Amino acid sequence: MRETEDVIDSLVRDLKPVPRHALERRFALAILPALAVSLLLMLIVLGLRTDMAQALMLPVFWIKSAYNALLAVAAFAAVYRLSRPDGSEGRFFGIAAAIILALAVMAVIQLAVSPAANYPVLVLGSSALHCPLLIFAFAMPILIANTWVLRGGAPSNLGITGFIAGIAAGASGAWVYSWFCTENGLPFVTLWYSLGILLTGATGALLGPRLLRW
């Protein structure tokens, strides 16, 4: 009995109480600077749109921004819950599906009211080949920050946690990219933005079991 007590004492001797809201501060200290780095990379590599004043008047611009922002917020909320040992993704997949479906419906409506000759521009634009890769690149600082945050937590489902952390980073990278992107096709956003976000999510899922162990 005494030996058991000694073992317990040795295990807890150096433990220190965790400050209140430590996890929230860790998120803020990591994610906000990472988002700033992503924005800076976008400005250095691509720059803002030259027609930004006109773009701000376009509903499509704000739909693109809202799609990525809503998906990012939903994913970050799930990552926060998953950072705890008993955490779960909650309703993330249902919410994400609803966000994507809403955009897809608007994309179909845009196609329905447009001439068939405009379909290639609305679906492929002029940047379909590199849009997902740029989103992936701009997401990397945020995925690295997410990984650092989660290594300070205690997630249990590492694959799902890594995947949703990647989705959060991808959606944030897509939001950053949307400030440069000149594409006005909602089918383009539905396909190619979502592909970039999913690519980042897949990367997070692959890295999660390797980097998030505790």
Side-chain angles (χ1 to χ4, degrees):
M1 185 67 178
R2 180 59 186 173
E3 291 180 356
T4 302
E5 292 177 354
D6 290 341
V7 170
I8 294 173
D9 288 341
S10 67
L11 290 173
V12 303
R13 184 177 302 122
D14 297 326
L15 292 179
K16 297 179 181 179
V18 177
R20 292 186 62 186
H21 308 300
L23 187 58
E24 290 88 339
R25 284 196 293 271
R26 190 174 177 89
F27 265 101
L29 288 173
I31 304 305
L32 293 179
L35 186 59
V37 169
S38 183
L39 282 165
L40 182 61
L41 284 174
M42 187 271 292
L43 290 172
I44 292 172
V45 175
L46 302 175
L48 283 175
R49 294 177 59 160
T50 56
D51 62 341
M52 182 56 69
Q54 292 81 7
L56 293 175
M57 304 300 292
L58 298 174
V60 170
F61 177 88
W62 294 108
I63 291 172
K64 282 193 296 186
S65 182
Y67 170 65
N68 299 309
L70 289 172
L71 200 54
V73 169
F76 276 121
V79 170
Y80 175 76
R81 292 191 298 270
L82 286 164
S83 64
R84 304 174 185 278
D86 59 345
S88 72
E89 68 273 14
R91 299 180 180 178
F92 167 73
F93 289 107
I95 293 171
I99 294 170
I100 296 169
L101 180 61
L103 180 65
V105 168
M106 287 186 280
V108 170
I109 292 172
Q110 188 182 36
L111 286 173
V113 300
S114 301
N118 291 348
Y119 287 3
V121 173
L122 292 175
V123 175
L124 298 175
S126 61
S127 58
L129 292 178
H130 58 259
C131 168
L133 298 179
L134 286 171
I135 287 172
F136 181 79
F138 293 139
M140 282 302 98
I142 303 157
L143 182 58
I144 292 169
N146 266 343
T147 301
W148 180 80
V149 170
L150 289 167
R151 284 179 64 85
S156 55
N157 193 334
L158 303 185
I160 290 295
T161 302
F163 176 73
I164 298 179
I167 294 295
S172 300
W175 179 81
V176 168
Y177 177 67
S178 72
W179 289 87
F180 163 82
C181 178
T182 58
E183 306 290 355
N184 291 321
L186 293 179
F188 179 95
V189 178
T190 304
L191 289 173
W192 305 109
Y193 272 56
S194 299
L195 179 59
I197 294 169
L198 186 60
L199 180 62
T200 315
T203 302
L206 289 173
L207 295 178
R210 295 171 173 81
L211 299 182
L212 302 182
R213 293 188 181 278
W214 50 281

